[in-house]
Amino acid sequence: MPGRIVGSLVRALYRWCWRLAIALLVVLALYASLGRYYIEYLPRYSEQLATYVRDNTGMDMQMTALDGDWSGLSPVVLLEALELSRDNRLAARLTSVRGELGVISGLVLRQSIDIVELRARQLELHLHQTDQGEWLFAGNSLASDGQSDCDLAALLLGIREAELGELTLTLHYANGEEARLWGQKLRLTGDSQFRRLKAILGIDESSPTR
């Protein structure tokens, strides 16, 4: 008798697992189908996206030639250029951008949308120094322990893989002077806890450092 009960439970569990797997496949197929359909309407919502970024980060966002695509279970955002600024100060600029978003995995693991893959021809970053010697990105301190509107470290941790043709980091000192660091062929890989960076780096009028 106990053997029959165990066998019945195993068969029931087996059927339940199969039904769950089929239901999950149906849901994922429906999600992908709807995503492929609605991603074509992404360019219509450029103003709403800019408003959302401004309301949640305090930054102004300008996009050029916004378009959308779909890959597997991930939406893909395509841009000719993307600019982020705050108080009329440029914070970041990317050109020839392709970003693949991890909606399902990001919501499950981090309760946010991750950037599975980011590719761009060029990235410009600008850091500004205050009179007290503190460095700011988009008006937020890089050394602050408190939560900010735009956390540069959190943004980087949300990117699983990135490839950049060129990188320019401009340091704007409080006395008005500037220093410019540059990089070429940057590749960033890793997971939510670790990052590996490969690049050719240098300072203006210097020899490259690998």
Side-chain angles (χ1 to χ4, degrees):
M1 182 66 67
R4 293 181 180 180
I5 296 176
V6 172
S8 299
L9 290 176
V10 170
R11 288 192 294 271
L13 180 61
Y14 178 79
R15 290 193 297 268
W16 182 84
C17 290
W18 266 109
R19 291 171 182 172
L20 179 62
I22 293 174
L24 181 60
L25 289 175
V26 171
V27 171
L28 291 177
L30 180 61
Y31 164 76
S33 178
L34 291 174
R36 290 180 183 275
Y37 176 78
Y38 284 106
I39 196 67
E40 298 180 1
Y41 297 95
L42 180 63
R44 300 184 182 182
Y45 295 93
S46 58
E47 293 185 3
Q48 289 88 335
L49 289 172
T51 300
Y52 177 83
V53 170
R54 183 170 57 252
D55 292 343
N56 287 272
T57 68
M59 292 193 297
D60 294 318
M61 181 174 68
Q62 294 183 350
M63 297 176 288
T64 304
L66 172 64
D67 199 2
D69 199 357
W70 197 267
S71 176
L73 295 175
S74 300
V76 177
V77 178
L78 305 170
L79 286 161
E80 183 178 310
L82 171 68
E83 290 188 2
L84 297 173
S85 60
R86 189 166 190 170
D87 299 329
N88 296 321
R89 284 183 169 182
L90 182 64
R93 183 176 189 272
L94 294 98
T95 60
S96 301
V97 184
R98 182 188 186 278
E100 183 176 333
L101 307 180
V103 178
I104 297 177
S105 59
L107 291 176
V108 171
L109 298 176
R110 292 164 50 88
Q111 291 76 53
S112 65
I113 298 178
D114 286 344
I115 301 177
V116 176
E117 182 180 283
L118 176 65
R119 299 179 186 274
R121 183 177 63 188
Q122 185 180 31
L123 169 63
E124 298 178 23
L125 293 174
H126 294 261
L127 303 181
H128 296 265
Q129 187 185 42
T130 66
D131 293 333
Q132 292 75 32
E134 188 178 29
W135 287 100
L136 307 178
F137 173 74
N140 295 293
S141 173
L142 297 180
S144 176
D145 294 331
Q147 185 175 5
S148 62
D149 294 333
C150 182
D151 190 336
L152 185 58
L155 290 175
L156 291 176
L157 286 175
I159 301 176
R160 300 183 194 173
E161 181 177 343
E163 287 189 8
L164 302 173
E166 298 178 10
L167 168 67
T168 303
L169 174 61
T170 303
L171 305 176
H172 302 269
Y173 291 93
N175 60 6
E177 296 182 356
E178 294 183 358
R180 186 170 289 106
L181 311 177
W182 58 265
Q184 294 179 342
K185 301 179 181 179
L186 283 84
R187 180 176 176 83
L188 180 69
T189 58
D191 53 29
S192 61
Q193 302 296 329
F194 178 76
R195 287 293 179 270
R196 179 183 293 108
L197 175 66
K198 294 182 179 180
I200 299 174
L201 305 174
I203 305 175
D204 271 356
E205 300 183 2
S206 70
S207 300
T209 300
R210 295 181 181 271

